[in-house]
Amino acid sequence: DAGVTQSPTHLIKTRGQHVTLRCSPISGHKSVSWYQQVLGQGPQFIFQYYEKEERGRGNFPDRFSARQFPNYSSELNVNALLLGDSALYLCASSLALAGVYEQFFGPGTRLTVL
Amino acid sequence: AQSVSQHNHHVILSEAASLELGCNYSYGGTVNLFWYVQYPGQHLQLLLKYFSGDPLVKGIKGFEAEFIKSKFSFNLRKPSVQWSDTAEYFCAADQTGANNLFFGTGTRLTVIP
């Protein structure tokens, strides 16, 4: 079975631009979460979606938004990019919301903002 | 403020040495605790988790962790490390019960053959 997949693998943008990152969860998984991992730090929770609805939000500005589609895939959008948005963006999926269900992480999208 | 602290940034051990990586959290109330590992070039994967019950939790690859509520700690242990344990280890906490994980900064483990 395929794991969590993310696209693109790498992305270079300039300040002020917009970016869309994509995530396909493991087949059958209905919950998708997004994390930002800055170099040298642990992942930081951005959003969680379940059944197309936002179920959790971390401490990120409104420039960050996301959505989940009927097939449970998800997009993370970041507007007005700043240098500090350079990071590895991780997507994780799980069967359902409850913490008893293991989260499986994807390989991430490396975003560089110049 | 909620936080997860991992005080060891880089640990270097010889094969067969014992391992203990520290993790402290600053949450009140119920909290679920996790250890994740990231091997070089691979995805984050779950090593073990604690929700309730026996405070000594056993995970994959011979790892275990002990939840000590009075010390707000969830330290990771392995009696004898192998070269293949070289990786970055992350402690995480979830107070929501919905997998909204708060990660520590990670500990890089290097095992020398």
Side-chain angles (χ1 to χ4, degrees):
Chain A
D1 282 342
V4 177
T5 59
Q6 294 186 242
S7 63
T9 307
H10 296 89
L11 202 52
I12 298 175
K13 292 285 189 178
T14 56
R15 281 178 296 175
Q17 285 189 311
H18 162 91
V19 69
T20 297
L21 309 181
R22 294 177 176 81
C23 171
S24 292
I26 291 172
S27 177
H29 284 196
K30 298 182 178 180
S31 175
V32 170
S33 296
W34 287 95
Y35 292 83
Q36 180 197 64
Q37 187 175 15
V38 173
L39 198 62
Q41 301 292 321
Q44 189 171 356
F45 173 71
I46 309 175
F47 285 113
Q48 182 185 50
Y49 276 77
Y50 177 69
E51 292 284 14
K52 296 172 287 179
E53 291 187 5
E54 182 183 302
R55 296 301 190 100
R57 173 185 282 256
N59 188 25
F60 279 80
D62 292 342
R63 300 184 295 107
F64 289 77
S65 64
R67 55 179 175 166
Q68 187 177 33
F69 299 97
N71 66 354
Y72 303 109
S73 67
S74 178
E75 282 183 355
L76 175 69
N77 295 284
V78 188
N79 292 323
L81 284 167
L82 303 174
L83 294 179
D85 295 331
S86 294
L88 182 68
Y89 288 84
L90 297 170
C91 175
S93 75
S94 59
L95 274 170
L97 263 187
V100 293
Y101 297 105
E102 180 179 344
Q103 277 193 95
F104 293 84
F105 283 81
T109 293
R110 172 75 61 188
L111 172 65
T112 302
V113 182
L114 302 176
Chain B
Q2 301 169 347
S3 71
V4 174
S5 299
Q6 293 182 246
H7 303 293
N8 312 107
H9 297 293
H10 190 190
V11 173
I12 301 173
L13 294 173
S14 298
E15 274 195 323
S18 64
L19 169 72
E20 181 160 2
L21 301 182
C23 173
N24 289 91
Y25 62 95
S26 62
Y27 294 82
T30 303
V31 61
N32 299 328
L33 296 163
F34 306 78
W35 276 97
Y36 279 82
V37 62
Q38 188 167 30
Y39 297 103
Q42 296 188 25
H43 311 174
L44 270 172
Q45 59 181 283
L46 182 66
L47 265 181
L48 48 78
K49 61 186 178 184
Y50 173 79
F51 283 0
S52 63
D54 189 344
L56 186 62
V57 180
K58 294 194 183 299
I60 61 172
K61 305 188 181 188
F63 285 91
E64 64 178 30
E66 185 175 12
F67 170 61
I68 304 180
K69 189 173 182 178
S70 61
K71 295 184 178 180
F72 295 89
S73 71
F74 189 56
N75 291 355
L76 181 71
R77 300 195 293 244
K78 186 171 184 178
S80 175
V81 294
Q82 300 172 314
W83 175 80
S84 58
D85 292 324
T86 294
E88 185 110 24
Y89 292 82
F90 293 94
C91 181
D94 170 27
Q95 199 172 27
T96 66
N99 269 331
N100 296 344
L101 301 181
F102 197 104
F103 283 85
T105 54
T107 296
R108 191 193 325 165
L109 172 66
T110 301
V111 179
I112 302 169

